[in-house]
C-alpha cells in the first residue's frame, strides 16, 4: 500500500489512522478487513508472523466494530420499522375516527331534521283539526222538548192577551235556554278536548316511535364502530407481533452469523499461526542455545 506521496506503508500502519475517523461506514470497514486478510496471508506465507499477528488482532478488532455497526444498523432499522407501523396505525386510526364521526354526525343531523319535520307536521295537523272540530260542532244546542213546549205556552198566552203570564213563561224559557246553552258548551268543549287528546296521544306515540328508532340506530352505529375499532386494534397488534417476531429472528440470525464468523476466523487463522509461531520459536531458541555453546 502507498500513501499520497508514494511512500510504501503496511496495512498495520494505515490501520492507525483508520480508527481516527478515516472510515465511517460499514462497507469501508469490511473492505479494509478484506485488505488486512490478504496482508495477513502474505505475511504468513513469508514467515512474518508477528506482523501477521498484528493484522489478525486488527482484523478481530474491525470485525467486532463491524458487528457492532451491523447491530446498530439493525436496531435503527427495527426502530424505524416500528415507528412506520405506529405512524401507519395512527393515520388509519385518525381516518377511522374521522369517518365514523362524520357518519354519526350526518345521521344525528338527519334524525334531528326528521323530528323537526314531524313536530311541525303535528302542529299543523292539530291546528287544522281544532278548526275542523269548531266548525263541525254547533255553538248552540237543539231546543229541548221542554223548551219547545214552554214557547208554545208563551205564544198561546200572548194570543189570549194574558201578557203577564206570557211574560212569566218567557222568563222561564230564557232561563232554560241559558241552562241548556251552558250545558251544551261544557259538552262541546269536552268533545273537542277528547278528540284533541286522542290526536295528541297519537302524535306523541309517533314521535316516541321515531325517537326510539333513532336511538336504536344510534346504538347500532356505536356497536358497529366498536367492532370495527376492535378489528383495527387487533390488526395493529397482529402486525406489531409479526414484526417483533421477524426482528427477533433477524437478531438471532445476525448473532449466529457473527459468532460463526468469529469462530471460523479464530480456527482458521489462529491455529495456523500458533503452529507456525511455535516452530519459529523453537528454531530461534535452538539457534541461541547452539550459538551459546559454541561461544
Amino acid at each position: 500500500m502507498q500513501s499520497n506521496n508514494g511512500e510504501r506503508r503496511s496495512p498495520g500502519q494505515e490501520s492507525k489512522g483508520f480508527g481516527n475517523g478515516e472510515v465511517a461506514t460499514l462497507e469501508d470497514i469490511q473492505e479494509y478487513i478484506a485488505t488486512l486478510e490478504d496482508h495477513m496471508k502474505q505475511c504468513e506465507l513469508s514467515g512474518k508472523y508477528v506482523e501477521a499477528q498484528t493484522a489478525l488482532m486488527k482484523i478481530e478488532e474491525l470485525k467486532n466494530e463491524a458487528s457492532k455497526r451491523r447491530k446498530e444498523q439493525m436496531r435503527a432499522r427495527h426502530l424505524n420499522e416500528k415507528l412506520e407501523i405506529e405512524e401507519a396505525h395512527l393515520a388509519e386510526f385518525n381516518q377511522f375516527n374521522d369517518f365514523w364521526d362524520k357518519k354519526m354526525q350526518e345521521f344525528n343531523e338527519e334524525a334531528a331534521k326528521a323530528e323537526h319535520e314531524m313536530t311541525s307536521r303535528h302542529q299543523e295537523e292539530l291546528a287544522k283539526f281544532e278548526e275542523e272540530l269548531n266548525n263541525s260542532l254547533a255553538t248552540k244546542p237543539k231546543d229541548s222538548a221542554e223548551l219547545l213546549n214552554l214557547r208554545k205556552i208563551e205564544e198561546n198566552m200572548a194570543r189570549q192577551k194574558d201578557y203577564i203570564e206570557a211574560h212569566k213563561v218567557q222568563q222561564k224559557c230564557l232561563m232554560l235556554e241559558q241552562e241548556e246553552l251552558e250545558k251544551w258548551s261544557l259538552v262541546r268543549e269536552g268533545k273537542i278536548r277528547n278528540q284533541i287528546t286522542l290526536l295528541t296521544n297519537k302524535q306523541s306515540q309517533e314521535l316516541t316511535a321515531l325517537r326510539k328508532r333513532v336511538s336504536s340506530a344510534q346504538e347500532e352505529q356505536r356497536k358497529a364502530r366498536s367492532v370495527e375499532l376492535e378489528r383495527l386494534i387487533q390488526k395493529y397488534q397482529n402486525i406489531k407481533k409479526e414484526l417483533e417476531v421477524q426482528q427477533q429472528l433477524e437478531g438471532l440470525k445476525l448473532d449466529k452469523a457473527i459468532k460463526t464468523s468469529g469462530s471460523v476466523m479464530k480456527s482458521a487463522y489462529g491455529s495456523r499461526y500458533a503452529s507456525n509461531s511455535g516452530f519459529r520459536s523453537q528454531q530461534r531458541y535452538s539457534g541461541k542455545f547452539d550459538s551459546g555453546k559454541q561461544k
Side-chain angles (χ1 to χ4, degrees), residues 196-207:
I196 289 176
T197 299
L198 290 175
L199 178 61
T200 53
N201 287 341
K202 178 184 176 183
Q203 290 177 342
S204 178
Q205 290 175 357
E206 289 180 359
L207 187 59

Side-chain angles (χ1 to χ4, degrees), residues 61-227:
E61 177 185 340
L62 292 176
K63 284 195 173 183
N64 289 334
E65 178 65 22
S67 299
K68 180 181 177 182
R69 294 281 185 93
R70 280 197 291 268
K71 288 183 178 181
E72 288 175 352
Q73 288 182 356
M74 182 184 68
R75 283 193 292 267
R77 180 164 44 80
H78 286 180
L79 179 59
N80 187 60
E81 290 171 350
K82 290 180 179 178
L83 290 176
E84 288 179 352
I85 289 178
E86 292 285 348
E87 291 173 357
H89 172 67
L90 181 59
E92 191 174 8
F93 180 74
N94 291 334
Q95 184 180 4
F96 169 87
N97 282 332
D98 291 342
F99 169 80
W100 276 103
D101 288 345
K102 182 179 179 181
K103 182 176 181 178
M104 296 178 78
Q105 181 180 357
E106 289 176 351
F107 178 83
N108 291 338
E109 290 174 355
E110 290 295 325
K113 180 181 178 182
E115 182 172 335
H116 176 72
E117 290 176 352
M118 179 176 284
T119 302
S120 299
R121 177 169 55 81
H122 285 173
Q123 291 175 348
E124 292 175 0
E125 288 178 354
L126 182 61
K128 184 178 180 181
F129 186 66
E130 287 181 352
E131 183 180 358
E132 290 175 352
L133 284 175
N134 285 318
N135 293 333
S136 63
L137 292 176
T139 56
K140 292 183 178 180
K142 291 181 179 180
D143 293 338
S144 65
E146 182 181 0
L147 180 59
L148 292 173
N149 185 48
L150 285 174
R151 283 176 179 171
K152 285 182 180 181
I153 293 173
E154 179 189 346
E155 290 175 0
N156 289 333
M157 291 295 182
R159 280 195 298 266
Q160 293 174 8
K161 310 301 181 183
D162 192 354
Y163 296 120
I164 299 299
E165 289 298 325
H167 176 70
K168 291 180 179 179
V169 174
Q170 183 186 46
Q171 294 300 313
K172 287 183 179 180
C173 287
L174 292 174
M175 290 177 63
L176 181 58
E177 184 178 6
Q178 183 63 32
E179 289 178 1
E180 290 181 355
L181 178 62
E182 290 176 355
K183 289 180 180 179
W184 168 247
S185 296
L186 292 175
V187 172
R188 183 175 183 273
E189 289 176 1
K191 287 184 177 180
I192 292 175
R193 185 168 55 252
N194 290 337
Q195 292 298 315
I196 289 176
T197 299
L198 290 175
L199 178 61
T200 53
N201 287 341
K202 178 184 176 183
Q203 290 177 342
S204 178
Q205 290 175 357
E206 289 180 359
L207 187 59
T208 300
L210 174 63
R211 288 172 176 171
K212 188 175 182 180
R213 291 194 300 272
V214 169
S215 178
S216 177
Q218 288 173 333
E219 181 62 23
E220 288 298 321
Q221 280 190 336
R222 283 191 289 269
K223 289 181 179 178
R225 180 172 184 166
S226 179
V227 170

Side-chain angles (χ1 to χ4, degrees), residues 1 11-12 14-15 18 23 25-42 52 54-70 258 261-262 265 269:
M1 294 186 183
E14 289 187 356
S15 65
F18 185 86
V23 176
T25 65
L26 178 61
E27 290 74 14
D28 292 332
I29 295 175
Q30 292 172 336
E31 182 180 349
Y32 193 63
I33 288 173
T35 302
L36 284 173
E37 286 177 342
D38 290 339
H39 175 68
M40 182 182 64
K41 290 178 182 178
Q42 293 297 326
T54 301
L56 177 60
M57 292 174 64
K58 188 60 180 179
I59 289 171
E60 290 178 351
E61 177 185 340
L62 292 176
K63 284 195 173 183
N64 289 334
E65 178 65 22
S67 299
K68 180 181 177 182
R69 294 281 185 93
R70 280 197 291 268
I258 291 172
S261 176
M265 182 186 68
Y269 301 122

